[in-house]
Amino acid sequence: RRAASIRGRRRGGAHTEEEDEDVRAEADAVDAAEPGTYDVAIDGLVKAYRTRANGPGSSSSARGSPSEDEDPSLLSDEPTRGSEGDRSTTASGDWSLTCGVRSGVRTRVAVDHLSLGIKRGERFGLLGVNGAGKSTTLKVLCGDHPPTAGSVTVCGLSVTGDLSKVQRLIGYCPQFDPLLELMTGRETARMYAMLKGVPARDADAAADAVLRSVGLRKFADRPCGTFSGGNKRKLSLAVALVGGPRVLLLDEPSSGMCPLGRRMMWDTVERAASGLTLLLTTHAMDECEALCERVGMMAGGKLRCLGSSQHLKSRFGEGYVVDAKVASASDGSGEEGARKAAAVRSAVESGSGVGSVEVAESHGGRLKIRLKTPEALAGAFEALERCRADGVLENYAVTQSSLEDVFVRV
C-alpha cells in the first residue's frame, strides 16, 4: 500500500511525461500482474540512503519530528554508504536533495521508482554507467540492503518478509568477490553449497561440479588468495551456481577476465542458466547481447528504456551505416578520388531518396554514409553495387547501429 501511494504521488494518478512508453508499459504490467507471473517482480522500488548534512541546517531543531507534508518512508534506516553503486541522481538531478524528513538530513537516491518483471526462464540484462543503481538493485534483491519503498518479490516470496527462503532460491555473484583468502576454492564452493541447503554428503560432489564447469578444477585446492583476478571472478560465479538456484543474480561477472575467460564464462552461464531466471549487470554490450533476451538501461536510478536488443537498436539507433572505400585513382591524385567519392554519394542519395541519407565522414577515399530509414536500404544496395560494377567503388560494408550507440544516446 505504501509503494502504491508513493507511485500515485509521483505520477499524480498517471505516468510522468518523460517516462519511456516501454518503461511505462512494464510498470503497468508488473502492477497488474497476478502472484506467480514473474520470478522477479520489482514494483516501484526506491532505495535511498540517509546522511546528515553539515552546515546551518544541522541545528538542534533537526532532531524534531517531521512536519505533516514530509514523507519519512522515503528514508532508509541504514547509514549512508559510500560506494559508487549507491550514488545516483534524484528526479530533479540533485543526488543529495533534501527529502525534508528533518532539517539537516539529506538522502542519496540510488534507485528511483524502478518497476521490472522477469518471467521464469528469462534472461535480462541491466546496463548503465557507474552509479546508475544496477548493483544497488541486486543488493536489494538478495537482501543485503532493505528497500526504502516499493515491493520486491522473488518467486512469489517477499524479500523483506521471507528473506531466508528467498536466499535459498537465488545465486548471487556480487561485484566484489565474496571470498576468504585462506580457504581453498574447493572449501569455498563446499561451504556455500551447505549454506544453500545441499546435504553434507552431496556437498563435495556439488562443489566439484561447479568448479569443473567454470574451469577451476586444477586450482581447486589452492588458497583463494593466490588466485588471479580472473580466477577469483570464476570462483565467485561458481559460488552463485552451486546448489542449483532458481534465480541467478550476476553483477559484472566477467570483469577482470581475459577474452578467453569471458567466452568460457558465457558458455558456463549459457549452460547453467537453461531454465533459470537470470538478471545480469554488465558494461560489456557484446556480453549482454550474447546472454540476454531483454535489455534494460538505467541512468540516475531510473529505468530509461527496455526491450530486446533489436528493438532498442531499431527504436533508438541511428539506422544503418555504409562504410565505403572508393577505387584508387589511376594517377595517384587526390582529385580523382574526391570525384569518385562524390559520385558514390550522389548515387546513394538518388537511390535511397532525398533526405534519407547523411554523409557522416568523408576522408582519404573513404565515406561513411548514414541511412536514416530502413526503407533507404534497398536503394542504397542497388546504388552501391552499380558503383562497384562501374569501377568507382572498391568495397563497402553496411552495419546497423550497435547497442553501444544506443547506450550512448540514451
Side-chain angles (χ1 to χ4, degrees), residues 17-60:
E17 291 182 2
E18 67 274 10
E19 205 169 32
D20 178 74
E21 60 185 36
D22 293 326
V23 175
R24 263 200 315 269
E26 183 79 2
D28 289 340
V30 172
D31 196 41
E34 296 293 329
T37 304
Y38 298 104
D39 262 13
V40 175
I42 304 172
D43 190 8
L45 172 64
V46 175
K47 181 57 188 175
Y49 297 100
R50 182 167 58 188
T51 182
R52 188 168 299 283
N54 294 321
S58 302
S59 61
S60 58

Side-chain angles (χ1 to χ4, degrees), residues 68-108:
E68 292 179 359
D69 59 347
E70 292 165 350
D71 188 2
S73 67
L74 288 180
L75 281 181
S76 169
D77 292 331
E78 293 188 345
T80 301
R81 308 294 176 92
S83 65
E84 282 189 21
D86 297 330
R87 293 175 185 160
S88 182
T89 57
T90 61
S92 66
D94 182 3
W95 64 282
S96 61
L97 180 68
T98 300
C99 223
V101 179
R102 297 182 181 89
S103 176
V105 175
R106 296 176 180 270
T107 59
R108 297 178 179 181

Side-chain angles (χ1 to χ4, degrees), residues 344-360:
V344 172
R345 172 181 175 176
S346 177
V348 173
E349 285 179 340
S350 61
S352 302
V354 178
S356 61
V357 173
E358 176 190 352
V359 177

